[in-house]
Amino acid sequence: MLLLSEDQTRNALPYPDLIDALAEMFRSGCTMPTRHHHDFKIPGEPDGTMLLMPAWVPGGYAGVKVVNVVPGNSERNLPAVHGQYLLSDARTGEMLAMIDGGELTARRTAAASALAARYLARSDARHLLVLGTGRLAPNLIAAHMAIRSIEEVTIWGRSQEKTAQFARDLDGQLPIRIQAASSLRDALGLADIVSAATLSTEPLIKGDLLKPGAHVDLVGAFKPTMRESDDDLIERAEIYVDTRDGCLSEGGDIVQPLKSGLITPGDIKADLYELCRGEHPGRQSDATITMFKSVGAALEDLAGATLAYQNIEH
């Protein structure tokens, strides 16, 4: 059985190939049972969450990811997400590979956002605003750069000092302008794409501040009690999701407006299945504000794990 380290997993999943692999899996589909989602108590800090995410293509590959999400790890200088992915042969049951789950999760999450932006962001989008300075932030930048000609990236985080250092570090790695936001309010009004990857419980993205044609990508706030967008954004935007089942029951950016009656399930324009299968055209006007909410799906992990295994093997 192959054991893929974090570096090996990263190198086996280049973003252009990974985005295409996700698109193909959303087109063809797979068997994806409901994920197990269990909170566990951690004395003196927010609860952790254990996720078990199985999926398989009959006669192809099967896999399961085990992930622990611990928000309190930010105080320990540890990643909030730890996990591993076990890939098997779905015909023989043979265990094929153990793949670094943290790197797989970060890359497939960012790739799903880029896949959605392929259909939803304006073709001339050049300025990306990223909210959050965790592991997902550089992945989101790289993934969006794979599908749009991004020329400028602005980063906002709760700690100005940490955000400034984060921006300086990235500025030396990427051939584009990267800066820390001095004002989130001002940054929201300038961005073509806003990508948020936080654990916020209060809305950060104010819909009335966004310029016409902006695309908003909501990656964090994976529990019903968390939220990154406000009601103004929900009312202004065309709403898209990665999967309807997941977003209708998990992410607070959709669950809370549903509960308050601000929207109904019918207000969701399309999910990634429908976009990738050509059942919905995505953005149809340069002036429209689009919003994409993702909570993750085992299908995405299986697509990524399969690609990584095949790239290592061949």
Side-chain angles (χ1 to χ4, degrees):
M1 184 173 72
L2 291 176
L3 297 176
L4 274 64
S5 67
E6 181 178 318
D7 287 344
Q8 288 172 315
T9 301
R10 181 183 305 115
N11 293 336
L13 295 174
Y15 274 113
D17 293 347
L18 180 56
I19 294 165
D20 288 344
L22 262 61
E24 180 55 36
M25 187 67 86
F26 273 107
R27 279 192 289 269
S28 60
C30 69
T31 301
M32 189 170 59
T34 301
R35 77 171 105 184
H36 294 257
H37 186 151
H38 305 284
D39 290 342
F40 56 91
K41 297 292 183 183
I42 303 176
E45 61 184 84
D47 291 352
T49 304
M50 179 183 293
L51 303 172
L52 307 175
M53 304 171 67
W56 59 88
V57 174
Y61 293 94
V64 61
K65 187 174 73 174
V66 180
V67 174
N68 295 324
V69 182
V70 180
N73 275 353
S74 60
E75 300 300 319
R76 305 181 182 94
N77 290 319
L78 290 173
V81 178
H82 291 276
Q84 294 291 336
Y85 195 92
L86 181 61
L87 184 70
S88 304
D89 187 314
R91 186 179 299 275
T92 67
E94 178 188 4
M95 304 294 185
L96 300 174
M98 181 75 78
I99 298 166
D100 185 84
E103 189 64 22
L104 174 63
T105 300
R107 294 186 79 80
R108 66 80 155 149
T109 301
S113 289
L115 175 59
R118 181 185 280 173
Y119 295 97
L120 302 176
R122 285 177 49 143
S123 60
D124 61 353
R126 298 292 182 268
H127 187 177
L128 170 66
L129 169 63
V130 175
L131 280 66
T133 57
R135 182 175 192 168
L136 269 174
N139 284 283
L140 287 164
I141 293 169
H144 282 295
M145 287 179 64
I147 56 95
R148 288 292 183 268
S149 298
I150 301 298
E151 297 174 351
E152 182 176 0
V153 174
T154 302
I155 301 171
W156 178 88
R158 294 189 186 278
S159 166
Q160 290 188 348
E161 182 180 349
K162 183 177 179 181
T163 304
Q165 184 59 54
F166 185 77
R168 284 193 294 270
D169 291 344
L170 284 178
D171 191 46
Q173 300 172 22
L174 297 173
I176 57 174
R177 183 185 178 197
I178 298 181
Q179 61 192 356
S182 56
S183 162
L184 177 57
R185 182 183 184 89
D186 291 344
L188 286 170
L190 296 172
D192 300 316
I193 300 174
V194 180
S195 188
T198 75
L199 298 174
S200 181
T201 57
E202 298 294 333
L204 297 170
I205 302 172
K206 312 296 185 183
D208 63 349
L209 299 178
L210 298 170
K211 68 181 184 181
H215 171 60
V216 179
D217 169 42
L218 302 176
V219 180
F222 64 92
K223 291 184 179 181
T225 54
M226 298 174 173
R227 193 165 178 187
E228 295 177 313
S229 62
D230 70 354
D231 283 353
D232 285 338
L233 175 57
I234 298 298
E235 290 183 311
R236 286 190 73 185
E238 286 189 352
I239 301 172
Y240 299 83
V241 297
D242 57 352
T243 64
R244 291 178 186 270
D245 288 347
C247 286
L248 287 173
S249 62
E250 295 186 33
D253 291 287
I254 300 296
V255 172
Q256 291 183 34
L258 283 172
K259 188 174 182 180
S260 71
L262 185 65
I263 60 172
T264 68
D267 290 317
I268 295 175
K269 298 293 185 182
D271 60 16
L272 281 178
Y273 290 106
E274 294 161 309
L275 290 171
C276 291
R277 292 170 181 174
E279 296 170 6
H280 190 286
R283 173 179 290 272
Q284 296 175 275
S285 164
D286 280 349
T288 298
I289 290 177
T290 54
M291 181 189 115
F292 173 70
K293 174 59 185 171
S294 67
V295 295
L299 172 154
E300 298 163 6
D301 294 306
L302 180 60
T306 300
L307 176 64
Y309 174 73
Q310 291 175 339
N311 280 343
I312 291 292
E313 278 290 276
H314 300 101

